Amino acid sequence: MSTWTVIAVYFLILVGGIVRSTGSGMGCPDWPKCFGSVIPPTSENQLPKNYQEIYLEKRLAKNERFVATLEKLGFTKTANEIANDKSILVEEEFNATKTWIEYINRLIGVLIGLLIIATLWKSLSLWSLDKWIPINSGIALVLVLFTGWIGSIVVSTNLLHWMITFHMLLALALVAVLLYANHRSYRLLHPKEKEDLVPGKVKVVLISGTILMLIQVILGTQVREQIDQISFALGNMFREEWVDRVGIDFLIHRSFSLVLLGIHILYFFWAFKYTLRKSKVNLWSQLLMVILLLEIGSGIGMAYFGIPAFLQPIHLLLGSLILGIQFILILQLRDLKQIKFNSN
């Protein structure tokens, strides 16, 4: 069950990328309903003439409550930034395509919530065998509810950039929790698999690569935020100029990919050398390298072809998949017997 839930979360990440690349994030100006309905409208004629003012007032009221909560928690600076951000006051006109893209995104989120509830229910029977499986399933449920609430704040703040980044990082955390529960469940079913002997340096390099990949993803979100601002300023035209206008952040992001490639080549060489050719670690390592190369290729495609809209969600999905595979490999290497760092 947790495997299907992870697949659904990754599909949601892909759809979320489509939402962002098509500018559909404000397709529904309220949450959890869409224009006040369970089924969104298909025409502007179905809405009141002053619908923009109505939903702006609702969003501002929600933001006031959010700002008050942040102040109580001690995040005064952040609260002031949200309270004084004029971009939040901009209300988009109705667009049926964007509305339904965002609506489908929300439906998938609801489906994931139901899958996680089913995962938690099924995992309770394993409490006596491994209590960490139901505990992690419970954490996943809390995370998905919190992520959904943050999604509502993303809408009420009119796609505030750092909120979008935080929302994505929560999705990645949800994947990690589900993968950990799935890994422990697998170990219950396959406790006597043959183990490789691997030097500790293999795991050290992989963990280093994972940390660097997470930094790269965060750098990518910063570049994406600037691209969004440039796109808005240019009226979503002159795509070939977007990358040139980003500046140093894009250069750092691009150069960092070479560092990532180098450390993963080193990891792959050691993994291939020290593990069985058809072992899970070796096969997952091969998949990791393939997806990493595809990720770099999609980044090159965006840089040299004016950031095609279809490549943006693919680039985001590939980066998320890399982090997930790295986490799986870390868990698998942890289960293997370790030999000294300087072993040949």
Side-chain angles (χ1 to χ4, degrees):
M1 181 64 73
S2 59
T3 300
W4 286 107
T5 308
V6 170
I7 293 172
V9 173
Y10 273 122
F11 184 63
L12 181 62
I13 290 173
L14 175 64
V15 174
I18 295 173
V19 168
R20 194 167 185 185
S21 66
T22 57
S24 303
M26 289 303 293
C28 296
D30 50 340
W31 191 96
K33 293 183 178 181
C34 187
F35 286 102
S37 302
V38 176
I39 305 297
T42 56
S43 169
E44 191 172 0
N45 296 330
Q46 298 173 263
L47 299 170
K49 292 183 179 180
N50 62 334
Y51 70 91
Q52 288 179 295
E53 291 82 0
I54 292 173
Y55 290 106
L56 176 59
E57 289 180 5
K58 290 183 177 181
R59 289 197 299 108
L60 292 179
K62 187 165 190 173
N63 285 343
E64 288 177 2
R65 295 192 296 270
F66 182 53
V67 166
T69 301
L70 289 175
E71 289 176 341
K72 291 178 181 178
L73 294 174
F75 298 102
T76 306
K77 182 179 178 180
T78 302
N80 289 334
E81 289 176 354
I82 294 175
N84 297 313
D85 192 337
K86 301 301 181 183
S87 66
I88 293 176
L89 301 177
V90 178
E91 190 70 27
E92 291 190 12
E93 294 184 359
F94 175 80
N95 181 299
T97 301
K98 292 181 178 181
T99 292
W100 278 86
I101 290 174
E102 169 60 14
Y103 181 68
I104 291 171
N105 180 48
R106 295 186 185 186
L107 287 180
I108 296 170
V110 172
L111 174 62
I112 289 171
L114 295 175
L115 285 173
I116 290 178
I117 291 173
T119 300
L120 175 59
W121 175 257
K122 190 173 181 180
S123 70
L124 292 176
S125 61
L126 301 175
W127 181 270
S128 60
L129 298 174
D130 187 346
K131 65 181 179 180
W132 284 106
I133 297 174
I135 287 175
N136 275 272
S137 299
I139 293 173
L141 180 59
V142 172
L143 264 177
V144 78
L145 292 174
F146 182 63
T147 303
W149 177 71
I150 289 296
S152 74
I153 301 299
V154 169
V155 172
S156 69
T157 56
N158 199 0
L159 311 181
L160 195 62
H161 295 305
W162 65 267
M163 288 297 298
I164 296 176
T165 299
F166 182 51
H167 192 237
M168 185 198 69
L169 291 176
L170 284 174
L172 294 176
L174 176 60
V175 168
V177 170
L178 289 169
L179 287 175
Y180 184 61
N182 182 270
H183 176 76
R184 296 189 73 98
S185 299
Y186 184 87
R187 295 304 295 171
L188 282 179
L189 296 173
H190 306 83
K192 296 181 179 180
E193 289 189 332
K194 186 175 181 180
E195 294 181 329
D196 293 332
L197 295 174
V198 296
K201 61 184 179 182
V202 178
K203 185 177 177 181
V204 170
V205 171
L206 178 60
I207 291 175
S208 300
T210 304
I211 294 171
L212 291 175
M213 185 63 205
L214 183 59
I215 294 172
Q216 177 74 328
V217 168
I218 294 173
L219 287 173
T221 60
Q222 293 176 348
V223 171
R224 178 62 197 175
E225 288 170 4
Q226 294 185 45
I227 291 291
D228 287 344
Q229 294 173 359
I230 294 168
S231 168
F232 180 78
L234 296 178
N236 205 33
M237 299 174 65
F238 308 108
R239 281 181 171 267
E240 66 278 0
E241 298 182 13
W242 292 2
V243 171
D244 294 334
R245 290 173 179 249
V246 174
I248 189 66
D249 287 348
F250 171 73
L251 295 178
I252 294 173
H253 183 61
R254 182 180 64 183
S255 302
F256 207 67
S257 63
L258 298 177
V259 176
L260 276 170
L261 179 60
I263 198 169
H264 280 87
I265 288 175
L266 177 61
Y267 161 75
F268 181 72
F269 172 76
W270 282 343
F272 188 79
K273 179 179 180 180
Y274 293 111
T275 60
L276 297 174
R277 297 296 169 263
K278 293 185 179 180
S279 68
K280 290 187 300 177
V281 170
N282 202 289
L283 294 175
W284 278 106
S285 298
Q286 293 177 44
L287 180 61
L288 174 62
M289 287 303 299
V290 169
I291 295 182
L292 179 63
L293 292 173
L294 289 174
E295 171 76 341
I296 293 173
S298 66
I300 293 172
M302 289 200 297
Y304 289 98
F305 296 99
I307 314 183
F310 78 92
L311 270 182
Q312 294 174 30
I314 293 174
H315 191 65
L316 174 62
L317 175 63
L318 291 173
S320 303
L321 283 171
I322 289 171
L323 285 169
I325 294 173
Q326 288 171 326
F327 187 64
I328 289 172
L329 283 166
I330 289 172
L331 294 175
Q332 291 178 349
L333 287 173
R334 190 189 66 169
D335 290 340
L336 302 183
K337 294 178 181 179
Q338 303 292 304
I339 55 179
K340 291 183 180 180
F341 186 88
N342 60 354
S343 178
N344 293 319

